[in-house]
Amino acid sequence: MAMTPTEAALFETTGPRARRRILIGTILSAAALAALVAWIVYRFYIKGQLASQYWYFFAQLNVWEFIGMGLLGTMRAALGAGAIALVVGLILMLGRTSKFKPVSWLATAFIEFFRGTPTLLFIYAMFLVPAQMGLKVSTYWMVVIPVSAYASAVLAEVYRAGAAAVPKGQKEAGVSLGLTDWQNFRYVVMPQMFRIVTPTLVTQLVVVVKDTSFGYVVTYPELMVNAKVLIANFSSLIPVYLVIALIYILVNLAISRFANWLSRRQDVKVMDISEALPRGVDA
């Protein structure tokens, strides 16, 4: 498979010896992984964890419906938190880069505070503080607000890095055309910034999905909470957690693949544009 322009810029083309070493390393790694899986399965077997009494209920449709409801709850919370984080993160980035110092200081304090504090602590705060004030908050928002607050702080820095990665000449060209700072950002910087950071934004959704598992604190009906219900009903700890872990892995793998696809698609677009330009003109 041919490398994209980004990959070509980051990596040198491998020679025959390097390809041979990579092949040998891949085979050895696959053998080691297979041996590890075999050892785990063997340990499960001798400990009786493969007995049918711990697995039979997975053949029941209602169990998978219950797991599916938990997955739906996880995705609802993740999508809600992700959508909020995309908007709030952009606002925080604009605040941090603002020339008005009080706004910049406030945005920076928010970003650093929420980036440096565990999400679980915020969820506990959402669970305890509103109740002490007589406010009623649904379990959905008890999960979404803290997760989106942390994700917003992270995405604000992602946006800032993307804006900084836009070539300086592009910004100077906008100024030379008489654009104001806001117009320059809106029409010149922001479109290129989003193209740069889109794969990273999608990848950040993996973190958001995993953070929703803290919903067990407030008994929000997501995947981990439903897993605990299954464990309590069928006394099957390891098999249930293995299945739930596999579901998380598949979901996050799908998100990562989608991010890679976006990155490759954007690289192909850039390559197509550069090939379409006349000789001597840069994209």
Side-chain angles (χ1 to χ4, degrees):
M1 179 184 295
M3 291 193 294
T4 64
T6 300
E7 293 171 335
L10 294 175
F11 307 105
E12 294 182 359
T13 304
T14 55
R17 290 185 180 180
R19 287 197 295 268
R20 192 180 307 116
R21 287 196 296 269
I22 292 172
L23 177 61
I24 294 173
T26 301
I27 294 173
L28 292 177
S29 299
L33 181 60
L36 177 62
V37 172
W39 179 79
I40 292 173
V41 172
Y42 173 72
R43 294 295 299 175
F44 282 166
Y45 174 75
I46 63 176
K47 294 295 183 179
Q49 290 297 321
L50 297 182
S52 60
Q53 68 187 61
Y54 297 117
W55 296 88
Y56 76 93
F57 56 91
F58 286 115
Q60 300 176 11
L61 180 60
N62 60 333
V63 169
W64 287 104
E65 290 176 348
F66 188 66
I67 293 175
M69 290 171 58
L71 178 59
L72 181 61
T74 293
M75 298 312 296
R76 282 183 63 243
L79 292 174
I84 294 173
L86 287 173
V87 177
V88 176
L90 182 60
I91 294 173
L92 288 173
M93 186 274 289
L94 293 174
R96 182 159 189 171
T97 57
S98 172
K99 294 181 180 179
F100 188 54
K101 292 300 181 182
V103 173
S104 178
W105 292 337
L106 184 62
T108 301
F110 182 96
I111 291 170
E112 296 302 330
F113 176 75
F114 279 94
R115 283 177 65 204
T117 308
T119 306
L120 183 59
L121 185 60
F122 294 136
I123 293 179
Y124 273 116
M126 282 297 301
F127 179 61
L128 298 173
V129 175
Q132 294 292 329
M133 300 172 62
L135 300 175
K136 201 169 186 181
V137 181
S138 69
T139 57
Y140 175 78
W141 291 110
M142 287 182 187
V143 175
V144 169
I145 292 176
V147 171
S148 62
Y150 172 78
S152 298
V154 174
L155 292 186
E157 293 300 276
V158 172
Y159 284 131
R160 192 161 69 98
V166 175
K168 188 177 180 181
Q170 299 282 330
K171 304 171 187 177
E172 293 174 346
V175 173
S176 68
L177 292 173
L179 299 179
T180 64
D181 288 344
W182 168 245
Q183 289 174 330
N184 199 14
F185 176 80
R186 180 181 176 185
Y187 297 113
V188 178
V189 177
M190 190 163 64
Q192 298 182 71
M193 176 193 74
F194 275 116
R195 184 185 64 79
I196 293 170
V197 304
T198 295
T200 306
L201 296 181
V202 176
T203 303
Q204 182 61 28
L205 188 58
V206 172
V207 179
V208 173
V209 170
K210 291 190 293 185
D211 282 351
T212 59
S213 63
F214 293 135
Y216 73 88
V217 173
V218 296
T219 63
Y220 171 69
E222 46 83 41
L223 203 52
M224 286 298 294
V225 169
N226 286 16
K228 291 179 181 294
V229 173
L230 291 177
I231 292 170
N233 279 275
F234 297 102
S235 301
S236 178
L237 179 68
I238 293 179
V240 170
Y241 277 144
L242 280 175
V243 171
I244 297 302
L246 181 61
I247 293 174
Y248 272 114
I249 290 171
L250 292 176
V251 170
N252 291 330
L253 182 62
I255 295 172
S256 299
R257 293 291 186 186
F258 180 62
N260 290 336
W261 176 80
L262 276 179
S263 179
R264 291 180 179 278
R265 182 179 175 85
Q266 289 175 350
D267 282 336
V268 169
K269 283 184 177 180
V270 171
M271 185 172 60
D272 289 344
I273 291 173
S274 63
E275 290 177 351
L277 290 173
R279 291 185 178 274
V281 179
D282 295 330

